[in-house]
Amino acid sequence: MQTSRPRTPDAAPVPYLLERSSEDRASEAWLPSVTADPETRYLPILSGRSAHSGAVEADGARLRWFTRDEVAAFAPRDAAEIYLGRLNDDAASPAAGRHLVAVVVDVVAEERFASYRRLRELAPLLDAAEAEILISATAIVNWHAGHTHCPRCGAPTVVVHSGWVRRCSADGTEHFPRTDPAIIVSIIDREDRLLLGANARWGGQRYSTLAGFVEPGESLEAAVVREVAEEAGIVVHSPEYVASQPWPFPASLMLAFRAQTDDVDVVPDGEEIIDLRWFTRDQLAEDVRSGRIAAPTPASVARSLIELWYGGPLPEPRQPESQRA
């Protein structure tokens, strides 16, 4: 996915694609005015309460957009609607120049569900504009699913501000979507080797950069040092910010760093990280090409960090002889 990958210092500036109209959407009259516009387009998305949360319909590498009449044919009348923004006229999308609204549905007819796909599957395919839209829609749908009641008093909350705020029905407090900061870091030693780890959740084959959540009261740089010490048993220094990437699983913002170390004797924590390896560029290329290890997906900031160190795109795994034409 070319333009939807996270920005690095060596990449071209990301175009301004989505006008979110944050001030306008606070007006209670805003969303009704948008939905009254026949040019508005709608994105049905499965609720965060669904086992397939965030799934949408797609046609190949494009999101499928609906008119209001088309959505009304299968979405419940009381389906929540969330204003996503107005897409730039220059965006490469059939929805360019229009207001966009997410329609949250709990279930869809079984015959429709076959065409519904989730962000992890679509991310490598979508262009920058539609990737940003789907990331935003997925994140806000996940947030709504977990905030149906006030965290202060337990009373039900109601949706206001065009879907971007929930207000307590008892005490009137307003609750906003939250984003959890997490660091992710490429670690380079004195010999210019890269440290990658295998996470227990991935079964031990996929190797990636180390990552972890930022704790309350902690700076990003301190989080880099702490997480690496916890997961690899080494001390890093000179953390340098590289890029960021929203990661709505369920509500994270990945903040990517590069860091240096003088230590080479790494020890995986044995719980989250089950193996750690230092790679030269030739070693990493051969292991990925041969299929001995898997790299992070192309749409991830982890892949961007690795390729920034590598100096270009990683090689593709060789196709087994039995699958070659």
Side-chain angles (χ1 to χ4, degrees), residues 43-57 71-80 103-114 116 141:
L43 182 69
I45 181 167
L46 292 187
S47 163
R49 293 186 294 271
S50 165
H52 301 279
S53 170
V56 297
E57 283 200 61
V71 169
F74 65 90
R77 288 189 177 183
D78 61 350
V103 179
V104 184
V105 292
D106 286 323
V107 294
V108 293
E110 188 171 343
E111 63 270 16
R112 298 188 67 89
F113 188 77
Y116 271 65
V141 162

Side-chain angles (χ1 to χ4, degrees), residues 183 214 218-228 236-241 257 259:
I183 60 88
V214 180
E218 186 176 45
S219 71
L220 299 176
E221 293 80 2
V224 168
V225 175
R226 175 184 55 79
E227 281 290 343
V228 174
V236 296
H237 60 83
S238 308
E240 175 189 4
Y241 174 76
F257 285 80

Side-chain angles (χ1 to χ4, degrees), residues 44-118:
I45 181 167
L46 292 187
S47 163
R49 293 186 294 271
S50 165
H52 301 279
S53 170
V56 297
E57 283 200 61
D59 294 320
R62 290 284 182 205
L63 300 178
R64 185 177 175 194
W65 298 98
F66 293 76
T67 65
R68 188 159 190 80
D69 288 343
E70 289 171 337
V71 169
F74 65 90
R77 288 189 177 183
D78 61 350
E81 296 181 335
I82 303 167
Y83 181 70
L84 297 175
R86 180 186 177 277
L87 198 54
N88 189 302
D89 292 339
D90 297 330
S93 167
R98 304 173 190 264
H99 291 294
L100 307 176
V101 174
V103 179
V104 184
V105 292
D106 286 323
V107 294
V108 293
E110 188 171 343
E111 63 270 16
R112 298 188 67 89
F113 188 77
S115 62
Y116 271 65
R117 299 156 74 188
R118 302 176 76 182

Side-chain angles (χ1 to χ4, degrees), residues 1 4 46 52-63 112-127 130-131 134-135 138 206 247-249 297-300:
M1 183 169 58
S4 57
L46 292 187
H52 301 279
S53 170
V56 297
E57 283 200 61
D59 294 320
R62 290 284 182 205
L63 300 178
R112 298 188 67 89
F113 188 77
S115 62
Y116 271 65
R117 299 156 74 188
R118 302 176 76 182
L119 176 59
R120 289 183 188 273
E121 180 184 358
L122 289 170
L125 307 177
L126 299 175
D127 63 22
E130 294 200 334
L134 185 53
I135 288 169
T138 301
R206 180 181 295 174
W247 197 248
F249 303 108
T297 62
S300 67

Side-chain angles (χ1 to χ4, degrees), residues 259-289:
Q260 308 291 321
T261 186
D262 299 323
D263 299 338
V264 294
D265 295 327
V266 293
V267 180
D269 63 18
E271 296 180 5
E272 186 173 354
I273 304 299
I274 58 176
D275 188 38
L276 289 163
R277 287 179 56 190
W278 290 105
F279 290 89
T280 67
R281 289 171 179 80
D282 288 343
Q283 288 169 341
L284 181 60
E286 180 53 32
D287 282 354
V288 170
R289 192 179 291 115

Side-chain angles (χ1 to χ4, degrees), residues 6 24 30 98 100 108 113 134-135 140 145 163 180 197-198 227 229-231 250 253-254 279 281 301 305 309 313:
D24 291 330
W30 175 250
R98 304 173 190 264
L100 307 176
V108 293
F113 188 77
L134 185 53
I135 288 169
I140 194 69
D180 300 320
E227 281 290 343
E230 290 176 356
E231 295 186 355
L253 177 65
M254 303 299 294
F279 290 89
R281 289 171 179 80
V301 71
L305 281 173
W309 165 83

Side-chain angles (χ1 to χ4, degrees), residues 177-240:
R178 304 300 298 266
T179 297
D180 300 320
I183 60 88
I184 185 167
V185 54
S186 60
I187 303 160
I188 302 165
D189 73 359
R190 287 183 174 183
E191 298 179 19
D192 199 26
R193 297 181 302 173
L194 179 68
L195 181 66
L196 299 178
N199 194 294
R201 293 176 300 171
W202 303 331
Q205 185 187 18
R206 180 181 295 174
Y207 281 73
S208 185
T209 48
L210 303 186
F213 285 103
V214 180
E215 294 187 345
E218 186 176 45
S219 71
L220 299 176
E221 293 80 2
V224 168
V225 175
R226 175 184 55 79
E227 281 290 343
V228 174
E230 290 176 356
E231 295 186 355
I234 60 174
V235 177
V236 296
H237 60 83
S238 308
E240 175 189 4

